[in-house]
Amino acid sequence: LGTIPAVVLGLALEEYMETLFRSAEVVAVMLLVGAGIFYAAEKYARQNREITPQMGLWVGFFQALALIPGMSRSGMTISGGMFLGLSRKEAARFGFLLSVPIIFGSGIKKFFELWSVGAFHDLGASLFAGAVASFIIGIFVIHYLLKYLTHHTLGIFIAYRVALASVIFVFLLL
C-alpha cells in the first residue's frame, strides 16, 4: 500500500518532475521544507503504535513528496512514520523497505529507456558495476543509519538540509 502513492503520482507527474521542478530554487526551498517536516516530526510525533495497512498508505503519501527535487524519500517516510506513531527506528526500517519496489521499478524503467535508445550497449558494464556497488554500500549505510536513529534524533539531517539550502541560495545570489 505504501508504494501505490509514489508510483501513481510519479507516473502522472513525470513530465513535471523532469522539467518544471528542476531548478536550484525549488531544490533549496524543498530542502528547507523538508528540514521543517523533520523538525515537526521530532518535536510533535508520539511514538507508541504498531504499523497498520492504513498507516502504510499514509507513509506512502509522504514518500511521494520525494518526487519533488530536494525532498528526501527516506526522510519523508521516516517523518511520516513518526507522525503516525512509529518510533524513529521503526519508521526508518519501514521507509527503507518501501524503497525496494520504488528503486527497483525506477531502475527497470530507466534500463528500458536506455535500451531503447541504444545507450545501454555502450554503458552496460559501467551501469551494472555502479548498481552492484551502490547496492552493497547502501546495505552498510542502511545498517549504520538504523543503529544511529535508535539513539539520535534527526537533528544532524535538519542542520545539513538548512546548511545546504543556504549554500544554494548564496550561489543563486552571486
Side-chain angles (χ1 to χ4, degrees):
L1 288 174
T3 303
I4 293 170
V7 170
V8 170
L9 291 171
L11 292 173
L13 301 173
E14 183 176 19
E15 180 181 324
Y16 298 107
M17 296 301 140
E18 294 179 358
T19 56
L20 184 63
F21 293 139
R22 292 279 181 205
S23 73
E25 293 88 354
V26 169
V27 170
V29 169
M30 290 299 106
L31 284 166
L32 293 175
V33 168
I37 292 170
F38 288 10
Y39 178 79
E42 283 291 345
K43 186 157 179 81
Y44 300 110
R46 300 292 174 252
Q47 293 108 31
N48 60 358
R49 297 178 64 193
E50 297 281 323
I51 193 157
T52 65
Q54 295 83 6
M55 288 172 64
L57 184 62
W58 280 108
V59 172
F61 283 109
F62 275 87
Q63 177 173 247
L65 289 173
L67 293 168
I68 305 168
M71 295 300 267
S72 162
R73 194 212 56 78
S74 60
M76 290 303 102
T77 57
I78 292 168
S79 297
M82 288 173 63
F83 281 126
L84 293 167
L86 297 177
S87 70
R88 197 178 301 105
K89 181 179 179 183
E90 288 304 312
R93 289 182 68 178
F94 183 63
F96 287 125
L97 285 174
L98 277 181
S99 73
V100 173
I102 292 295
I103 292 171
F104 183 74
S106 64
I108 294 295
K109 183 178 182 298
K110 189 57 75 176
F111 169 82
F112 285 113
E113 288 173 7
L114 290 171
W115 185 274
S116 70
V117 297
F120 189 74
H121 184 272
D122 297 332
L123 301 172
S126 297
L127 289 173
F128 180 76
V132 170
S134 295
F135 177 78
I136 292 168
I137 292 169
I139 295 296
F140 286 108
V141 170
I142 289 169
H143 175 73
Y144 172 75
L145 186 60
L146 289 173
K147 285 179 77 171
Y148 178 86
L149 290 174
T150 301
H151 304 290
H152 299 87
T153 69
L154 298 173
I156 189 86
F157 303 104
I158 295 168
Y160 161 75
R161 294 178 69 85
V162 170
L164 183 56
S166 300
V167 168
I168 292 170
F169 282 128
V170 167
F171 277 105
L172 288 172
L173 294 174
L174 294 178

